[in-house]
Amino acid sequence: MEAVRPGFLNLKLSGSFLSQYLSEMAADERLGAEKASEEKTVIIDYGGANVAKPLHVGHLRSAVIGESIKRILRFAGHKTIGDVHLGDWGLQMGLIITELKHRQPDLPYFDDSWEGAYPEEAPFTISELEEIYPAASLKSKEDEAYKKEALEATYQLQHGSKGYHALWEHILRVSIEDLKKNYSNLNVEFELWKKESDAQPYIPGLVSYLKENGYARMDQGALVVDVAEETDTKKVPPCMILKSDGASLYNTTDLATIIMRMENWAPDQIIYVVDKRQELYFTQVFRCARKTKLVREETGLDFLGFGTMNGKDGKPFKTREGGVMRLENLIREINEEMLRKILENHEADPEEAKETAKVVALSAIKYGDLSNQASKDYVFDVDKFTSFEGNTGPYILYTIVRIKSILKRYLLQSGRDASSLKDLGILPAASESEKALGIALTGFAPAVRTAAEELAPHKICGYIYELSNAFNRFYHESKILTEEKEAQKESYIALLELTRRVLEQGIDLLGFTAPERM
Ligand code: ARG
């Protein structure tokens, strides 16, 4: 340390201090990242797919961001519970039931006098189901009577019609099976597969609780809770609990779900990863839950609103024909583009290349999303996201694969086994680029701490991008495997192994993995 005029302190990091720190980091399973001082139970409400509607790109962001937030908080030492909170109770159910009734009126589900058991087999497949919903939705927009029928069917389903209930169970089973497949392809996994309908049993109790404690009032036949506050600069309308016809709403379900969550898991925090256009709605729900004491005073309720995923034209992402892009098709397109790039790069076994393309494509999709601050809109740019250069998922994976390949050659050369690499000693840096890499590595702990505090996966992206750049500069300027001094070579290898572990931990927090080769 040195004082210079007119009043600066210059700090110079000593090479031996840095190499000591890096050795300690390498010896630590958590790579130097401390655990949160107290363990919290956090429920993350993400995914939010609607049963029987095909997953579209709008649901991609919630799944990708929510999964990463969950992994980051888990790594920080919290108990995390991801809940997909499926939409299974609204008008879409009535629409499907109505359309089925028109197509197959003889099914026993529509026969009020039916006494026997209902068939085990669903009267539709997933592809039929996915065709039925848009057809029904379209009809209901053009045909008033049809719409009324669907509303009536929704009401009947929600009020105990046995036949409709049996049909609804078929819809759930068929569509959840398909959703599980889709989410698993995205490397997204939920601890809970709860649905809107699971909260229904809590609604009658909620309504009488709100009435008895004077929280709710009648307004033109509807039951509402006022949630406006004096300091509001924009109008926050009352939270509607029951419509004048007695029907419950999205609101009601969310409040009932909060009760269910508090009873079963007593979370310290619930984080909702939802389109930011629902922000006002969640303001109402959170204020209502607090005011009516459905949660403890210290329970955190957080809304993590994300922006829209746009196409290159700056408008919400569409297919080439201008329709809503199905998630499956989007993934297929990226897989194909990735495969093309991989085969263009080098010759490869077609089967292996296909598997690799899938892994790399997922990194392109997820990193493309997560590297932006979640609340911002972003442009889904296939060419940019799948590029091996620049701030992209494939670039990060390329860096990891490069390191892995050097390590593999070293293992062959030295006869060591992989698990011994982390015990190799790290020497003080021999060059400027090596020191820069060392300093970049020390950024890991603060990066994950900030990401966890701010619920900000883009901080992880920013960090691993810088680390990759630092590594690649070091790599281009150094001889590693041809280094003659054995201790120096071992030190380089130790640095590489540490870099690999940090990068792989980083992408794990983002929710994707690296292939062995690419
Ligand atoms: N199903 C909803 C939608 O598609 C998202 C659910 C978000 N979570 C919640 N607890 N409301 O918009």
Side-chain angles (χ1 to χ4, degrees):
M1 183 156 71
E2 169 194 36
V4 283
R5 284 176 196 283
F8 295 106
L9 286 180
N10 284 342
L11 300 174
K12 202 162 169 235
L13 189 57
S14 95
S16 59
F17 179 84
L18 181 59
S19 62
Q20 179 60 29
Y21 180 91
L22 294 173
S23 300
E24 282 165 24
M25 197 176 157
D28 180 10
E29 212 156 275
R30 296 181 53 79
L31 299 161
E34 67 276 21
K35 274 199 173 181
S37 49
E38 48 171 340
E39 184 195 61
K40 290 193 293 181
T41 299
V42 186
I43 293 185
I44 300 113
D45 180 315
Y46 70 109
N50 299 309
V51 157
K53 291 194 201 172
L55 270 185
H56 58 82
V57 296
H59 290 112
L60 179 65
R61 297 213 71 191
S62 180
V64 168
I65 298 167
E67 179 72 20
S68 177
I69 298 283
K70 187 173 80 179
R71 287 166 181 242
I72 291 170
L73 291 177
R74 195 197 290 147
F75 185 72
H78 299 297
K79 184 170 170 220
T80 52
I81 305 167
D83 181 4
V84 64
H85 195 74
L86 292 179
D88 71 334
W89 207 235
L91 179 61
Q92 86 260 28
M93 293 297 162
L95 283 167
I96 292 174
I97 292 172
T98 301
E99 183 58 22
L100 275 170
K101 193 171 176 178
H102 282 235
R103 292 185 188 190
Q104 304 183 58
D106 298 333
L107 288 174
Y109 311 97
F110 306 120
D111 177 356
D112 289 335
S113 61
W114 184 265
E115 299 271 326
Y118 293 106
E120 294 260 312
E121 248 337 81
F124 42 70
T125 63
I126 184 67
S127 26
E128 281 161 348
L129 203 53
E130 290 188 342
E131 177 263 321
I132 290 171
Y133 173 75
S137 165
L138 192 68
K139 271 196 208 169
S140 77
K141 281 179 195 131
E142 289 164 351
D143 182 345
E144 258 320 298
Y146 188 93
K147 169 97 184 265
K148 249 181 98 184
E149 224 182 295
L151 282 168
E152 174 63 19
T154 313
Y155 184 87
Q156 292 295 339
L157 167 69
Q158 295 178 350
H159 291 81
S161 154
K162 270 191 356 227
Y164 288 3
H165 202 270
L167 207 47
W168 168 78
E169 286 187 334
H170 283 310
I171 300 175
L172 277 189
R173 216 169 313 129
V174 169
S175 103
I176 289 178
E177 190 183 279
D178 185 62
L179 283 170
K180 287 201 166 158
K181 194 187 72 197
N182 274 299
Y183 280 127
S184 140
N185 280 337
L186 283 173
N187 216 355
V188 168
E189 215 180 284
F190 299 97
E191 284 66 33
L192 297 176
W193 279 80
K194 292 285 176 197
K195 317 177 282 301
E196 289 174 353
S197 62
D198 291 314
Q200 300 310 305
Y202 294 86
I203 291 181
L206 169 68
V207 170
S208 45
Y209 168 80
L210 294 178
K211 283 185 181 161
E212 277 158 23
N213 289 282
Y215 289 127
R217 63 177 175 88
M218 296 304 285
D219 183 9
Q220 297 170 12
L223 187 70
V224 303
V225 174
D226 290 311
V227 293
E229 288 171 7
E230 262 173 37
T231 49
D232 289 343
T233 48
K234 261 191 285 174
K235 186 170 157 37
V236 182
C239 207
M240 200 190 284
I241 309 297
L242 291 178
K243 288 203 278 192
S244 52
D245 64 2
S248 58
L249 306 103
Y250 188 41
N251 246 324
T252 330
T253 302
D254 262 318
L255 290 166
T257 301
I258 289 178
I259 301 178
M260 174 176 77
R261 288 175 176 163
M262 292 309 287
E263 268 188 30
N264 289 290
W265 299 280
D268 300 296
Q269 187 182 15
I270 310 176
I271 300 171
Y272 295 79
V273 186
V274 187
D275 191 312
K276 75 175 173 200
R277 283 170 288 194
Q278 294 188 29
E279 177 155 24
L280 175 62
Y281 164 77
F282 276 99
T283 302
Q284 293 173 292
V285 171
F286 293 173
R287 284 187 183 182
C288 184
R290 284 215 184 282
K291 174 173 177 182
T292 65
K293 305 197 165 52
L294 299 185
V295 293
R296 288 168 303 178
E297 221 164 281
E298 61 282 8
T299 311
L301 294 172
D302 289 287
F303 176 68
L304 203 115
F306 52 80
T308 309
M309 172 174 149
N310 289 324
K312 267 184 170 171
D313 56 0
K315 298 200 188 105
F317 201 83
K318 292 270 156 67
T319 59
R320 276 194 209 98
E321 292 74 36
V324 175
M325 176 68 117
R326 291 189 45 174
L327 189 54
E328 256 180 278
N329 296 341
L330 174 85
I331 295 176
R332 187 172 324 117
E333 255 183 48
I334 309 288
N335 281 350
E336 282 165 8
E337 176 60 15
M338 226 48 257
L339 182 61
R340 201 184 59 72
K341 284 201 172 142
I342 288 176
L343 292 176
E344 188 182 86
N345 248 355
H346 59 88
E347 259 178 60
D349 168 61
E351 273 315 300
E352 190 191 331
K354 238 172 143 179
E355 281 311 304
T356 308
K358 261 198 222 162
V359 176
V360 185
L362 191 60
S363 82
I365 295 173
K366 288 195 164 185
Y367 193 94
D369 186 313
L370 294 171
S371 53
N372 303 285
Q373 198 177 324
S375 61
K376 298 219 168 104
D377 296 349
Y378 78 105
V379 173
F380 193 94
D381 182 336
V382 180
D383 295 326
K384 188 171 133 202
F385 290 1
T386 57
S387 167
F388 290 111
E389 277 151 46
N391 191 5
T392 70
Y395 169 69
I396 307 286
L397 297 194
Y398 199 77
T399 307
I400 296 175
V401 165
R402 168 175 279 165
I403 300 176
K404 283 186 179 181
S405 125
I406 304 171
L407 293 175
K408 260 184 244 158
R409 273 183 286 147
Y410 174 75
L411 292 177
L412 274 180
Q413 204 183 68
S414 66
R416 285 180 188 276
D417 65 282
S419 63
S420 71
L421 293 182
K422 63 177 190 320
D423 306 324
L424 294 174
I426 298 179
L427 299 174
S431 67
E432 203 274 313
S433 65
E434 187 188 355
K435 185 165 183 182
L437 171 60
I439 292 176
L441 280 164
T442 65
F444 178 67
V448 290
R449 192 190 320 124
T450 317
E453 278 168 8
E454 297 175 9
L455 304 178
H458 73 280
K459 296 277 158 96
I460 304 279
C461 293
Y463 171 68
I464 59 176
Y465 178 54
E466 265 181 41
L467 179 58
S468 298
N469 285 339
F471 170 77
N472 284 314
R473 191 154 78 82
F474 164 71
Y475 168 81
H476 287 299
E477 289 178 7
S478 322
K479 304 181 291 175
I480 298 171
L481 290 175
T482 51
E483 168 61 45
E484 280 145 25
K485 290 190 243 81
E486 198 52 34
Q488 183 61 65
K489 190 199 293 188
E490 285 181 2
S491 171
Y492 286 156
I493 293 295
L495 203 56
L496 259 62
E497 170 67 356
L498 183 58
T499 308
R500 180 197 66 77
R501 283 169 62 203
V502 171
L503 287 176
E504 288 209 292
Q505 182 63 63
I507 61 171
D508 183 64
L509 295 177
L510 299 176
F512 56 89
T513 54
E516 283 309 302
R517 298 187 276 190
M518 65 194 259

